[in-house]
Amino acid sequence: MRVFNIIQSSLRTYRVKRYVFQSQLECYSRHATSIWRNKWQHYRALPTGVTKLGSEQFIIKNTMATTDHLTPEINLRLMTPQCKLYHCKFDDTSGVSDPYWAFYWPGGQVLTRFLLDNPSYVIGKNILDVGSGCGATAIACIKLGANNVLANDIDPVAEKAIHLNAELNGVSIETSTENMIGKVDTEFDTIILGDMFYDESFTKQVTDWLLKLLSLKRKMIMIGDPGRVFLNQLPIRKHLHQLEKYRLTEQCKFENHGFNDAAVWTIK
Amino acid sequence: MASLRVLVGCKRVIDYAVKVRVRPDKLGVVTDGVKHSMNPFDEIAIEEAVRLKEKKIAKEIVAVSCGPAKCQETLRTALAMGADRAIHVEIAEKEYEGIGPLQVSKMLAKLAKDEDANLFIVGKQAIDDDCNQTGQMLASYLDWPQATFASEVVVEDGDLKVTREVDGGLETVKVKMPCVITADLRLNEPRYATLPNIMKAKKKPMLKKKPADLGVDMTPHVEVLKVDDPPTREAGVKVESAEELVSKLKDVGCI
């Protein structure tokens, strides 16, 4: 009976504590979810010409400029905990793509940090940034003195975000939304990818392409990744050489559960 | 080290904050249209696994759930908390009603072997049936050591030092891996999933299996005869003075 009472009372304390916290959170998140749906529906319903204008306003309204990341020399518009939409849970029914461009993923952060610390990898080079996202790495390359930089991301909203972030850092940037994965006739001598290996089949697709590129021509390929499992399970594993490892910021850890650090690798 | 593959069991239960109602047939509780979420003790189990991964002790976390299709929502939560992939053993709603810790622990044991797991963490009990049996049965089927009611887990020389919450206080035990741990309330405070984690969780793989794939007999062994509401509290009486209180207490034979 005593054991039973202890279990009951501990459960009750737990439930009450969680309940108070959860109900505050839910009250907020319910509100935020409805905002999110309305915003996206509005944004999706606009005709093409206006969509571009709409997406720019959407980015400006739902992000804020921040330097709370591993590369504070670059100011970036990101969705931070101070932004309302950060706290919503969005469902798959919205039918629009998730805002990957609104976050500075750990792989991107360490890759950019590495290049800023080692400009010789960039100066005078022709660089293709695949899956550019918020554009941070590409912006760093321009600032460091690359010969030519193309920020590539298939999401048209990401393209807009890249331009806004470039403007914020006083540079102009060339972008493209073409799907470059699989293309082997590229003129770029350096290919960089920040945090592209979070999806199993996509990881296979991208790494197969990188290995093919490598076998055809001498290319410098650099990737940033926090150690997502798929990368360690594919043939590319044997070709990875670590260049540097960095500890992630508290905010980045909070956004990427299970990771405390991330590394920059080259493929040989 | 980073060599452990950790499996974590997550059960989908009626949310802890919901007022549970007994079904008219008195053979269960109303689940239709009721908010469900992950069993709080399983959230603690997932959290512990994620912490082991952050300390580079675990290399991979696999979240497992046995139950109807909606268990996938629970697994997505586990993925957003930091699990790397998920396995859903889909059981039809009707069939699920008849099974309990016996069948579930058999399925989990088979998965642990198939996945070559080094550690299995489950919540000490589910808040719906309060069975407190799955972890113990699982250890038995696997023939692995177990440390139940864990309030602290530390890796020491390749073994696990686990502090257990027992009736008389705390007991510290050492177990060799592979082993089963059941999570108690004070083991940790689970994190909640933030938006970037939810986004990446959608991309994480979820493998679907059937009980038949695992060779587990789903015949029910326990029959529920009756489910009753707790007795309702009867109304009290107001007394005006201490004298009246004493006489009332005397009337009911309390003093």
Side-chain angles (χ1 to χ4, degrees):
Chain A
M1 195 59 200
R2 205 157 73 82
V3 182
F4 178 73
N5 281 340
I6 294 169
I7 292 173
Q8 283 295 314
S9 68
S10 65
L11 250 172
R12 211 171 300 131
T13 328
Y14 179 72
R15 283 175 178 168
V16 167
K17 202 178 81 183
R18 298 259 319 175
Y19 177 72
V20 173
F21 170 72
Q22 202 82 11
S23 54
Q24 287 167 347
L25 191 79
E26 265 157 29
C27 168
Y28 187 53
S29 91
R30 251 199 303 276
H31 175 60
T33 310
S34 66
I35 297 176
W36 181 253
R37 279 213 197 99
N38 292 342
K39 291 273 178 198
W40 272 119
Q41 271 161 14
H42 170 66
Y43 160 67
R44 200 161 41 134
L46 294 168
T48 333
V50 195
T51 310
K52 281 193 177 152
L53 186 73
S55 65
E56 195 170 303
Q57 280 168 349
F58 180 85
I59 295 166
I60 292 168
K61 211 169 170 185
N62 292 294
T63 59
M64 58 176 271
T66 173
T67 54
D68 181 15
H69 44 72
L70 282 176
T71 59
E73 46 278 72
I74 299 169
N75 203 356
L76 295 166
R77 280 187 185 281
L78 300 172
M79 208 179 273
T80 68
Q82 286 78 41
C83 304
K84 257 186 200 165
L85 290 187
Y86 187 95
H87 302 275
C88 75
K89 302 169 179 167
F90 41 130
D91 49 22
D92 295 324
T93 56
S94 58
V96 289
S97 55
D98 290 345
Y100 281 89
W101 49 265
F103 299 96
Y104 194 7
W105 303 97
Q109 291 201 25
V110 296
L111 180 60
T112 315
R113 183 71 263 151
F114 177 79
L115 297 177
L116 286 166
D117 294 342
N118 302 276
S120 59
Y121 284 93
V122 176
I123 297 168
K125 298 285 196 299
N126 298 311
I127 300 173
L128 172 65
D129 180 18
V130 183
S132 199
C134 63
T137 323
I139 292 166
C141 291
I142 296 172
K143 290 189 107 171
L144 288 168
N147 180 46
N148 178 24
V149 179
L150 180 65
N152 171 236
D153 199 302
I154 56 162
D155 182 353
V157 190
E159 188 181 35
K160 210 77 206 168
I162 295 166
H163 283 295
L164 283 169
N165 280 327
E167 199 183 302
L168 196 63
N169 291 280
V171 296
S172 69
I173 196 161
E174 198 188 328
T175 55
S176 140
T177 55
E178 186 193 348
N179 184 3
M180 300 270 195
I181 294 156
K183 276 187 76 170
V184 287
D185 55 341
T186 171
E187 292 307 308
F188 298 95
D189 50 41
T190 304
I191 294 153
I192 54 176
L193 305 98
D195 225 309
M196 289 286 277
F197 308 109
Y198 49 84
D199 178 289
E200 196 173 14
S201 59
F202 187 58
T203 301
K204 190 175 179 328
Q205 206 184 325
V206 175
T207 55
D208 284 352
W209 170 55
L210 293 178
L211 290 176
K212 197 169 174 190
L213 268 181
L214 206 64
S215 67
L216 289 173
K217 279 177 202 162
R218 265 178 66 89
K219 301 265 183 211
M220 181 67 187
I221 302 173
M222 281 179 277
I223 64 170
D225 193 86
R228 299 190 192 275
V229 285
F230 313 122
L231 209 53
N232 289 320
Q233 295 166 347
L234 291 166
I236 198 162
R237 189 187 41 169
K238 285 179 249 142
H239 301 268
L240 292 174
H241 296 267
Q242 189 177 310
L243 294 170
E244 195 63 79
K245 195 174 183 176
Y246 297 91
R247 201 136 181 92
L248 301 174
T249 64
E250 287 308 311
Q251 179 57 28
C252 191
K253 283 193 250 176
F254 177 66
E255 293 180 355
N256 297 275
H257 292 155
F259 300 110
N260 281 344
D261 40 47
V264 179
W265 313 78
T266 183
I267 301 170
K268 281 181 189 163
Chain B
M1 207 158 108
S3 57
L4 301 183
R5 178 169 292 125
V6 185
L7 259 62
V8 186
C10 330
K11 187 179 185 184
R12 177 177 177 266
V13 297
I14 292 182
D15 191 84
Y16 58 88
V18 168
K19 170 119 181 51
V20 175
R21 285 181 298 128
V22 172
R23 250 169 26 199
D25 67 3
K26 292 217 164 201
L27 289 174
V29 296
V30 178
T31 54
D32 282 349
V34 173
K35 187 184 174 207
H36 283 65
S37 49
M38 196 194 300
N39 176 33
F41 290 109
D42 296 343
E43 277 188 352
I44 298 171
I46 285 277
E47 175 65 35
E48 197 60 21
V50 177
R51 289 185 188 192
L52 288 174
K53 195 183 164 199
E54 285 170 343
K55 287 183 204 145
K56 303 262 184 250
I57 294 163
K59 66 171 177 197
E60 191 180 20
I61 304 166
V62 186
V64 182
S65 192
C66 308
K70 280 187 177 157
C71 286
Q72 289 178 15
E73 290 166 20
T74 310
L75 287 171
R76 284 284 166 218
T77 308
L79 293 170
M81 283 178 76
D84 296 296
R85 57 192 175 89
I87 302 173
H88 175 218
V89 183
E90 192 169 358
I91 305 167
E93 199 97 38
K94 202 74 209 151
E95 194 172 29
Y96 186 62
E97 270 182 29
I99 67 159
L102 183 78
Q103 292 85 351
V104 171
S105 55
K106 279 182 186 168
M107 287 187 267
L108 298 184
K110 180 73 171 65
L111 288 172
K113 281 188 183 150
D114 291 352
E115 292 292 328
D116 203 14
N118 309 94
L119 175 62
F120 213 127
I121 314 180
V122 291
K124 68 164 178 178
Q125 70 190 80
I127 61 164
D128 54 358
D129 57 20
D130 280 343
C131 278
N132 186 343
Q133 293 167 338
T134 307
Q136 291 88 332
M137 286 180 175
L138 172 62
S140 164
Y141 282 124
L142 287 167
D143 204 11
W144 287 2
Q146 58 179 302
T148 50
F149 315 120
S151 68
E152 198 188 3
V153 177
V154 185
V155 178
E156 216 176 66
D157 307 324
D159 295 333
L160 290 183
K161 201 175 85 179
V162 181
T163 307
R164 306 180 58 234
E165 298 208 4
V166 293
D167 214 7
L170 297 173
E171 181 187 63
T172 307
V173 296
K174 196 161 101 171
V175 281
K176 287 209 176 301
M177 282 183 278
C179 65
V180 174
I181 289 178
T182 76
D184 211 327
L185 181 71
R186 277 161 283 268
L187 181 58
N188 59 51
E189 209 166 307
R191 64 193 74 192
Y192 61 94
T194 59
L195 180 57
N197 286 298
I198 297 169
M199 279 164 58
K200 292 250 155 148
K202 290 184 197 173
K203 304 278 185 189
K204 292 179 180 176
M206 193 183 297
L207 190 68
K208 280 179 206 137
K209 286 191 181 271
K210 295 265 175 214
D213 301 336
L214 305 170
V216 175
D217 174 21
M218 300 291 275
T219 318
H221 290 263
V222 178
E223 187 190 352
V224 176
L225 300 178
K226 197 165 73 151
V227 175
D228 275 322
D229 273 316
T232 46
R233 192 175 169 272
E234 281 177 35
V237 194
K238 241 186 187 169
V239 289
E240 297 295 331
S241 64
E243 288 79 15
E244 202 187 332
L245 173 65
V246 172
S247 80
K248 288 270 183 209
L249 287 172
K250 272 184 181 163
D251 289 349
V252 293
C254 282
I255 50 170

